[in-house]
């Protein structure tokens, strides 16, 4: 872990979210340390995706707050979250289907461009230099995720597993401090899952990116993450290392469906 | 043969006027995936505001700038009051919203400036000019030159700046675009403002040709075959589509018209567009929808 500060990168404080009176998340709080991989697990409808949506500002929580890097936010807006360095992928692939893979990755660098649109329109040297630098950075991400063979393909025509990886590339291109992955391995076969886990672990190791991911495959989660948070019916029922969570009776009950 | 070329070139030049209208549609379609029915009302509103200011003694340039400011204000209002609350709704919902918007803008223009017909003189005569032995309308040449400048400016704006990429990103997936820090609202406001500017240019040229009156908002219906032929997502397609429609309708009128008793000009482009729908539904330059099954 590159950071040694005791302060977590992300902390949720008593977050609650309801849709038209139906509670999706009740009073959830947990911390994500700098540089860790934190997995959110729980049955369908446990509120995992809603929680990611709160963190990157798509939903605003009715109660609670979010600390990001020491600053408390009552609510975030999506572009504000992006500016803070929070990037994400989506459960149902949300790529720009009609653009090429390279262009998709370039959109990820949107906030890292500094040149004014007028200097771009006039094609001034500084705008061109920036364009080259952005392209290079995008190519680095593409190479890192072994996507070179498809760099000029229209992403809508790529197979599902690759699209998932392109989405990771686009998010990574933003050079985020916190990366939220919503079921990055959903619908993949064992081989694709292994590949994706490898890329996620590499991202964490080489780029030092802090990750929060949602995943159903418990085997994958336990092998990949430093920290696991378990949700059930919108409540937090477990929080700790993979081993601690594995031994937690409430977690076992929720997963096996045995209730007393 | 000279006569054929005169008809052809006259048709192509007239087609440029259709392209001007079609470009306004393309811009908004590209950014929000919606066919903006209100484009015609925007053309009318711009022309009417401009001509009313001119008649009240406001100098040409100032009237142009004030009208432009009004169009930008209108764009900001539309973004705020209509697009923002309807984000992530289905295209048909947005289409219905623009339909309503269209009547509101027309009604507002009428309330503000009245209903009478205004003549508009841009200082360009419609007298024929002899170019290489062919007689061409001075006004049509002027309109074509204006369109060329407009297209050049738009292509620089959307191809050289990051706005172009953001625009296409927003059109493909607004939610994902938001998560990358692309400001949806700003993009929409800019695109509607630019569409308003294109509407202003089209309104002045069409207003000078037909007189500024409420039927001006119906001219937009001629943009439909242009869009179907050229494709909804391409500015270049709007130009080519306009040229094809202009040339085809004039040639059809002159050469086929006498065989069937005339009056072909008004419906021929729609027939052509239907043919295109059967053979090439995305148009010549449009993006084919990609769906994985």
């Amino acid at each position: 872990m590159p950071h040694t500060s005791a302060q977590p990168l992300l902390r949720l404080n008593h977050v609650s979210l309801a849709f038209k009176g139906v509670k999706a998340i009740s009073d959830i709080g947990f911390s994500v340390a700098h540089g860790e991989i934190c997995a959110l697990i729980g049955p369908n409808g446990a509120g995992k995706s809603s929680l990611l949506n709160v963190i990157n500002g798509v939903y605003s929580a009715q109660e609670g707050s979010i600390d990001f890097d020491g600053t408390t936010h009552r609510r975030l807006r999506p572009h504000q979250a992006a500016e803070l360095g929070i990037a994400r992928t989506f459960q149902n692939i949300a790529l720009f289907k009609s653009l090429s893979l390279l262009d998709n990755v370039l959109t990820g660098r949107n906030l890292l461009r500094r040149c004014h649109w007028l200097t771009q329109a006039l094609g001034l040297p500084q705008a061109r230099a920036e364009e080259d630098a952005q392209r290079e950075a995008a190519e680095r991400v593409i190479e890192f995720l072994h996507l070179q063979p498809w760099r000029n393909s229209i992403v809508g025509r790529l197979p599902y597993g690759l699209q998932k990886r392109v989405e990771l590339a686009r998010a990574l291109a933003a050079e985020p401090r916190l990366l939220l992955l919503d079921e990055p391995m959903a619908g993949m076969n064992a081989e694709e899952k292994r590949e994706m886990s490898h890329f996620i672990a590499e991202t964490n190791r080489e780029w030092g990116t802090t990750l929060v991911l949602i995943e159903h495959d418990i085997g994958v989660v336990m092998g990949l993450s430093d920290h696991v948070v378990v949700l059930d019916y919108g409540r937090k029922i477990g929080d700790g290392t993979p081993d601690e969570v594995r031994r937690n009776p409430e977690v076992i009950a929720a997963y096996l469906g045995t209730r007393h | 043969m000279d006569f054929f070329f005169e008809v052809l070139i006259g048709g192509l030049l007239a087609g440029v006027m259709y392209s001007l209208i079609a470009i306004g549609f393309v811009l908004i379609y590209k950014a929000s995936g919606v066919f903006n029915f209100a484009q015609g009302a925007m053309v009318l509103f711009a022309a009417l505001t401009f001509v009313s200011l001119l008649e009240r003694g406001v100098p040409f340039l100032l009237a142009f700038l004030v009208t432009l400011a009004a169009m930008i204000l209108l764009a900001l209002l539309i973004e705020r009051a209509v697009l923002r609350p309807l984000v992530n709704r289905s295209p048909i919902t947005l289409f219905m919203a623009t339909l309503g918007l269209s009547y509101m803008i027309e009604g507002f223009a009428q309330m503000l400036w009245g209903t009478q017909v205004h003549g508009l003189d841009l200082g360009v005569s419609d007298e024929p000019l002899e170019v290489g032995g062919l007689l061409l309308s001075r006004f049509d040449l002027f309109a074509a030159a204006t369109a060329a400048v407009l297209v050049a400016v738009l292509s620089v704006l959307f191809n050289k700046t990051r706005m172009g990429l953001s625009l296409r990103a927003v059109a493909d997936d607004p939610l994902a675009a938001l998560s990358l820090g692309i400001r949806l609202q700003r993009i929409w406001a800019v695109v509607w403002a630019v569409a308003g500017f294109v509407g202003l240019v089209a309104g002045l040229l069409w207003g000078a040709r037909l007189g500024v009156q409420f039927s001006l908002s119906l001219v937009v219906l001629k943009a439909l075959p242009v869009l179907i032929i050229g494709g909804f997502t391409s500015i270049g397609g709007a130009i080519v589509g306009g040229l094809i429609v202009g040339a085809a309708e004039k040639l059809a009128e002159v050469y086929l018209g006498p065989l069937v008793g005339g009056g072909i000009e008004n419906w021929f482009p729609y027939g052509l567009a239907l043919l295109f729908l059967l053979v090439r539904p995305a148009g010549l330059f449009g993006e084919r929808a990609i769906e994985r099954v």
Side-chain angles (χ1 to χ4, degrees), chain B residues 133-264:
Chain B
L134 300 173
L135 288 175
L136 300 173
S137 155
R138 240 179 246 272
F139 184 84
D140 282 347
L141 288 171
F142 173 73
T146 309
V149 172
L150 191 70
V151 169
V153 169
L154 289 179
S155 72
V156 167
L157 189 62
F158 291 120
N159 292 330
K160 296 278 182 189
T161 71
R162 66 175 143 150
M163 183 128 68
L165 200 56
S166 302
L167 193 79
R168 301 182 61 191
V170 165
D172 262 13
D173 199 315
L175 199 62
L178 266 179
S179 80
L180 300 170
I182 294 173
R183 295 196 186 213
L184 216 57
Q185 286 125 11
R186 196 178 290 172
I187 297 276
W188 278 339
V190 168
V191 168
W192 279 72
V194 174
F197 171 67
V198 173
L200 169 59
V201 174
L204 295 190
L205 291 170
W206 276 101
R209 165 134 290 178
L210 301 177
V212 178
Q213 52 180 323
F214 277 83
S215 67
L216 210 54
S217 60
L218 298 177
V219 167
V220 299
L221 295 179
K222 260 292 166 58
L224 269 174
V226 174
L227 291 166
I228 290 170
I229 292 169
F232 276 85
T233 52
S234 159
I235 289 176
I239 294 289
V240 175
L243 294 177
I244 290 174
V245 165
E249 69 175 15
K250 292 290 184 290
L251 289 173
E253 182 67 40
V254 169
Y255 290 101
L256 297 178
L259 304 177
V260 293
I264 285 187

Side-chain angles (χ1 to χ4, degrees), chain A residues 115-131, chain B residues 160:
Chain A
C115 277
H116 193 265
W117 63 272
L118 257 180
T119 60
Q120 292 174 335
L122 297 173
L124 296 183
Q126 77 224 55
R128 274 189 232 169
E130 191 193 58
E131 189 59 37
Chain B
K160 296 278 182 189

